[in-house]
């Protein structure tokens, strides 16, 4: 009876070991790929998408933009800044040791402060949105119209004019222009405090506001007691120089 050689036994055992290792590696790869697939499927589920999209509601996003735009160095809170904020909020929400609601308020405040430039910077993302009263130093008593201008105004927005913090006129923008004239309910008086505010398309959120302007006394009001019509008999000369008198007419007929 012939016995297998020792070398053959060792080689067979080695081949079997390699085969088992390959099977283990292949099995682990399969598990990893399966896990990746599960994670990807989980991310694509409607409820997962909804959770990511609802990390900030549209109302919250609008409130953040409004708060940022009301700062002294105002600009639009752009998409990149918003995505950075959402990423931080997702981390906080995934951490079970964090009070999410408190963290949300803190992260929003930090994002607004962090992204507010020390100086007004040019560019589309942080373009300064202007909104102002035209020639505010010329506002005077008796004026019944206010003109405003600014690239912050868009179609559908509403401009309201406040006089002493009371709404005295409004205009809904049907198409954009270089300036907008708003008719007041009553003429301005001396020392009235006037400002214009820009509301969103729903008329609820203030997007921008002008500086408060004081009206001055008009010349008509200033000199109304000094300028008087003349009194007494008024002689008015004939404006045609070659008019003949009645005697001259009779003399001419006799000739």
């Amino acid at each position: 009876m012939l016995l297998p050689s020792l070398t053959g036994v060792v080689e067979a055992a080695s081949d079997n070991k390699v085969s088992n290792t390959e099977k283990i590696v292949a099995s682990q790869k399969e598990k990893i790929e399966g896990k990746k697939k599960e994670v990807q499927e989980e991310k694509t589920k409607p409820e997962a998408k909804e959770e990511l999209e609802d990390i900030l509601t549209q109302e919250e996003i609008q409130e953040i933009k409004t708060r940022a735009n009301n700062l002294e160095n105002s600009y639009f809170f752009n998409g990149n800044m918003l995505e950075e904020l959402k990423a931080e909020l997702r981390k906080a929400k995934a951490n079970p040791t964090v009070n999410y609601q408190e963290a949300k308020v803190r992260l929003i405040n930090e994002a607004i402060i962090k992204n507010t430039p020390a100086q007004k910077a040019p560019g589309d993302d942080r373009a300064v949105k202007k909104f102002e009263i035209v020639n505010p130093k010329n506002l005077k008593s008796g004026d019944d119209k206010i003109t405003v201008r600014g690239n912050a105004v868009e179609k559908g927005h509403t401009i309201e004019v406040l006089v002493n913090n009371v709404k005295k006129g409004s205009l809904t923008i049907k198409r954009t222009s270089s300036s907008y004239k708003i008719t007041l309910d009553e003429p301005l008086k001396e020392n009235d405090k006037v400002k214009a505010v820009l509301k969103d398309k729903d008329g609820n959120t203030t997007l921008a506001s002008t500086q408060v302007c004081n009206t001055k006394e008009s010349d008509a009001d200033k000199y109304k007691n000094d300028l008087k019509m003349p009194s007494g008999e008024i002689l008015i000369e004939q404006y045609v120089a070659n008019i003949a008198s009645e005697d001259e007419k009779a003399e001419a007929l006799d000739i």
Side-chain angles (χ1 to χ4, degrees):
M1 180 178 179
L2 297 174
L3 296 175
S5 66
L6 183 59
T7 301
V9 172
V10 172
E11 288 177 351
S14 178
D15 290 342
N16 188 44
K17 185 176 180 180
V18 171
S19 177
N20 287 338
T21 301
E22 290 176 347
K23 287 180 180 179
I24 293 171
V25 171
S27 176
Q28 290 298 325
K29 285 184 176 180
E30 186 177 349
K31 287 181 180 179
I32 292 172
E33 292 299 323
K35 192 67 177 176
K36 286 182 179 179
K37 187 176 180 181
E38 288 178 7
V39 172
Q40 188 63 31
E41 289 176 352
E42 193 68 26
K43 286 182 178 180
T44 56
K45 286 182 179 180
E47 56 269 24
K49 285 185 176 181
E50 184 177 354
E51 181 180 353
L52 289 178
E53 291 170 357
D54 289 347
I55 198 79
L56 283 174
T57 64
Q58 288 301 318
E59 289 78 10
E60 288 172 327
I61 292 172
Q62 183 58 58
E63 182 182 356
I64 291 169
K65 290 181 177 180
T66 301
R67 286 176 57 190
N69 296 340
N70 283 339
L71 295 175
E72 183 178 355
N73 290 319
S74 62
Y75 66 99
F76 276 151
F77 199 90
N78 66 32
N80 292 336
M81 300 172 190
L82 205 55
E83 289 306 315
E84 290 175 7
L85 174 57
K86 285 183 178 180
E88 293 298 323
L89 290 173
R90 292 188 190 104
K91 290 179 185 177
K93 194 169 187 178
N95 190 340
T97 64
V98 172
N99 184 319
Y100 176 66
Q101 293 303 323
E102 291 181 0
K104 186 175 184 178
V105 173
R106 175 178 55 81
L107 288 170
I108 288 174
N109 289 336
E110 289 177 355
I112 292 174
I113 295 172
K114 178 180 70 175
N115 288 296
T116 302
Q119 294 180 344
K120 295 180 180 180
D124 293 335
D125 288 342
R126 293 190 177 187
V128 176
K129 297 296 178 180
K130 294 182 179 179
F131 184 66
E132 60 188 6
I133 294 176
V134 178
N135 298 325
K137 293 182 179 180
N138 292 339
L139 289 180
K140 60 186 181 299
S141 58
D143 288 349
D144 61 356
K145 291 181 177 62
I146 299 294
T147 303
V148 301
R149 64 187 173 196
N151 57 2
V153 184
E154 297 178 5
K155 182 179 178 181
H157 287 171
T158 298
I159 300 173
E160 294 182 356
V161 177
L162 306 181
V163 179
N164 302 323
N165 291 322
V166 178
K167 179 182 170 183
K168 291 295 184 179
S170 66
L171 174 69
T172 299
I173 307 304
K174 296 181 180 179
R175 62 178 182 179
T176 56
S177 177
S178 58
S179 63
Y180 309 90
K181 188 171 290 187
I182 301 94
T183 301
L184 305 180
D185 297 336
E186 58 185 16
L188 296 173
K189 297 183 291 296
E190 183 185 4
N191 294 324
D192 277 344
K193 298 185 182 301
V194 183
K195 81 170 182 176
V197 295
L198 181 65
K199 297 290 188 71
D200 65 1
K201 295 180 180 180
D202 296 326
N204 300 322
T205 304
T206 299
L207 304 176
S209 61
T210 67
Q211 293 183 339
V212 176
C213 307
N214 292 328
T215 59
K216 62 183 181 180
E217 188 179 20
S218 67
D219 289 342
D221 288 340
K222 186 176 181 180
Y223 299 108
K224 64 182 178 181
N225 295 324
D226 299 330
L227 298 176
K228 297 180 180 179
M229 289 295 293
S231 59
E233 186 178 358
I234 301 175
L235 299 177
I236 301 177
E237 296 183 355
Q238 293 179 341
Y239 61 90
V240 180
N242 61 351
I243 294 179
S245 66
E246 293 300 324
D247 292 339
E248 289 174 331
K249 291 179 182 178
E251 183 180 354
L253 290 174
D254 292 339
I255 295 176

